[in-house]
Amino acid sequence: MKKRWLVSFAIGVVIILLFFLIRYEREPAQGQYRIGVTLDLTGTFALYGQWADQGIEIARNELKEKGKNVDLMIEDCQSESKAAVSALQKLININNVKVVIGSNTSSSAIMAMAPIAEKNKIILFVTTASSPSIADAGDFIFRNRLSGDKEVETVVKAAKDRGITRISFTTINNQAGQAYASFFQKSASSHGLNIVTKQWIDPTETNLNTYAAKLKNAGTKAIFYAGPVKTGAILMKNCAEIGYRPLWLSISPMRSQELFKLAGDVAEGLLIATEFPDTSSQQYKIFNQIYVKKYNTEPTTFSVNAYDAVKFLVTAIDSAGYNPVKIKNFLYRHTFSGAGGRFKFNNKGEAVRKVYLMQVKGGKFILVKN
């Protein structure tokens, strides 16, 4: 009898414990903000994941000092779309997260995640991927990263202003690369630029001598490259090694100190179309000071965007509660001001912000114009 009672008691304790564990997964505690994070901490795009993670960590620490306990559930997507989808499904189905920061570098990963977020009515807040296709990914998909088509248009105008009529195009062989190719083709055509050659590079490739030789043979005075900094820096260096030094034009991912480590003075003259934070603002100055002290380097656009994403979402949860539909409506209605500047989302959940043109001079990124 006693043994049976002990068994019943043990079962009861287990049930109670399971109840509280499930409750923890289902209901964020009072004063707590549960936010899922998907990023690339390993794999081809690990550098971008690291930058985002650093910005997120600073935001969490700042909010903690203000008494806001932000429960960030971080999943490594390993720079792969399948892993990104699995990570999102885990956050939704096991952790019952209703708000996710998608700091994945690959637009392909974001586009694979978007239908899942949309079906489950989960906020997916994109901070790094730039494919223009993301603008049409769904009503619950938001992005504070500048859309790539705006950068492409700025690059084409910069080439035309410098008397370029023939240009080569090189990008990464993925979903984002396809989108960049499409927009570049349209923009170049409308501005009278002739694309002489196109090349598609696998992001895992490190020997780019064959690509460099083909670009040299094409003989254009300018090349537009759209892709991660490592691949771009290697390609620039390989071209220089065979005596080919065209005018290089690119986009935000190339604006990194890693460029100078990998390409050295070969990067001199590179033109980059990019979003650019208002460095004179108090919000940016505070973030920059903390970031430099903690990581001993200047923050990138992707660090800033991830940092702002945490702050914006906590503000939205404060106002709307932990309800994705109400958070969505709040994001559409309000203007946000963060370390990355002031902006408002348009009706597609895209941040409406300025595009800037920068050029590498003396190993630094110098603002040309907006």
Side-chain angles (χ1 to χ4, degrees):
M1 188 74 177
K2 184 177 180 181
K3 184 177 180 181
R4 187 177 298 172
W5 180 87
L6 286 172
V7 171
S8 299
F9 177 77
I11 292 171
V13 169
V14 169
I15 291 172
I16 292 170
L17 287 172
L18 284 173
F19 170 79
F20 281 108
L21 283 171
I22 292 170
R23 183 176 176 80
Y24 171 76
E25 293 297 344
R26 294 294 176 187
E27 300 293 339
Q30 189 175 5
Q32 185 182 69
Y33 307 82
R34 183 176 301 172
I35 299 174
V37 181
T38 60
L39 39 66
D40 306 313
L41 293 175
T42 56
T44 307
F45 305 121
L47 182 61
Y48 294 90
Q50 175 186 315
W51 290 335
D53 191 40
Q54 290 169 345
I56 286 168
E57 181 63 20
I58 291 175
R60 172 164 43 189
N61 291 340
E62 279 187 19
L63 290 163
K64 187 175 181 180
E65 289 176 4
K66 295 178 180 179
K68 296 182 185 294
N69 181 22
V70 182
D71 186 10
L72 292 169
M73 297 185 168
I74 298 176
E75 295 289 332
D76 176 17
C77 298
Q78 306 163 31
S79 303
E80 294 181 358
S81 295
K82 285 184 179 179
V85 167
S86 296
L88 182 62
Q89 289 174 332
K90 176 181 179 295
L91 288 169
I92 294 172
N93 299 322
I94 297 177
N95 304 122
N96 198 40
V97 166
K98 302 182 187 302
V99 178
V100 176
I101 296 173
S103 288
N104 305 72
T105 308
S106 169
S107 295
S108 300
I110 294 297
M111 291 302 289
M113 296 161 66
I116 300 169
E118 196 70 11
K119 179 182 177 181
N120 289 275
K121 293 183 169 53
I122 299 297
I123 299 293
L124 180 60
F125 198 106
V126 181
T127 68
T128 306
S130 62
S131 171
S133 304
I134 294 171
D136 298 310
D139 201 34
F140 284 81
I141 317 302
F142 292 84
R143 175 167 57 174
N144 66 343
R145 162 80 160 95
L146 186 69
S147 179
D149 57 331
K150 307 299 188 299
E151 294 177 332
V152 168
E153 184 69 15
T154 302
V155 163
V156 170
K157 287 180 179 178
K160 185 178 180 181
D161 289 346
R162 285 155 179 77
I164 301 297
T165 57
R166 300 170 72 252
I167 193 168
S168 295
F169 172 72
T170 306
T171 189
I172 298 300
N173 191 17
N174 58 16
Q175 196 274 339
Q178 297 287 345
Y180 276 119
S182 175
F183 276 94
F184 186 71
Q185 180 72 58
K186 291 176 184 176
S187 184
S189 178
S190 66
H191 287 85
L193 266 66
N194 177 30
I195 302 175
V196 177
T197 186
K198 298 178 184 178
Q199 293 200 89
W200 308 86
I201 302 174
D202 188 296
T204 62
E205 288 190 67
T206 55
N207 186 341
L208 306 181
N209 290 316
T210 301
Y211 296 98
K214 288 181 179 178
L215 288 169
K216 183 180 180 181
N217 290 337
T220 59
K221 293 181 179 179
I223 298 174
F224 172 50
Y225 165 76
V229 64
K230 183 178 179 181
T231 302
I234 293 173
L235 184 62
M236 292 174 73
K237 198 168 185 178
N238 287 168
C239 283
E241 287 169 352
I242 57 175
Y244 180 45
R245 289 206 175 203
L247 170 65
W248 288 90
L249 302 103
S250 194
I251 52 177
S252 291
M254 290 288 277
R255 185 161 68 89
S256 160
Q257 295 302 311
E258 290 296 313
L259 173 67
F260 306 122
K261 295 177 185 178
L262 296 167
D265 63 0
V266 172
E268 194 72 10
L270 168 68
L271 284 166
I272 298 176
T274 179
E275 57 194 82
F276 185 71
D278 179 6
T279 56
S280 65
S281 75
Q282 192 62 21
Q283 286 171 295
Y284 179 81
K285 285 180 179 179
I286 292 171
F287 172 71
N288 184 71
Q289 184 178 21
I290 296 170
Y291 192 96
V292 171
K293 183 177 180 180
K294 189 174 179 66
Y295 300 111
N296 197 34
T297 186
E298 293 288 324
T300 67
T301 297
F302 311 105
S303 305
V304 174
N305 285 350
Y307 167 84
D308 280 345
V310 177
K311 304 286 283 288
F312 294 159
L313 289 170
V314 166
T315 299
I317 293 169
D318 274 339
S319 177
Y322 198 63
N323 182 311
V325 174
K326 292 182 179 179
I327 291 171
K328 178 194 72 170
N329 294 335
F330 180 89
L331 292 174
Y332 275 122
R333 288 197 309 264
H334 288 75
T335 299
F336 295 90
S337 181
R342 185 178 175 83
F343 72 89
K344 184 176 177 62
F345 289 112
N346 64 15
N347 62 359
K348 291 188 175 184
E350 294 280 285
V352 179
R353 59 200 317 172
K354 294 180 181 178
V355 189
Y356 295 82
L357 187 66
M358 305 188 81
Q359 187 165 32
V360 174
K361 291 183 178 180
K364 294 181 180 180
F365 296 102
I366 306 300
L367 185 63
V368 178
K369 64 179 181 179
N370 66 35

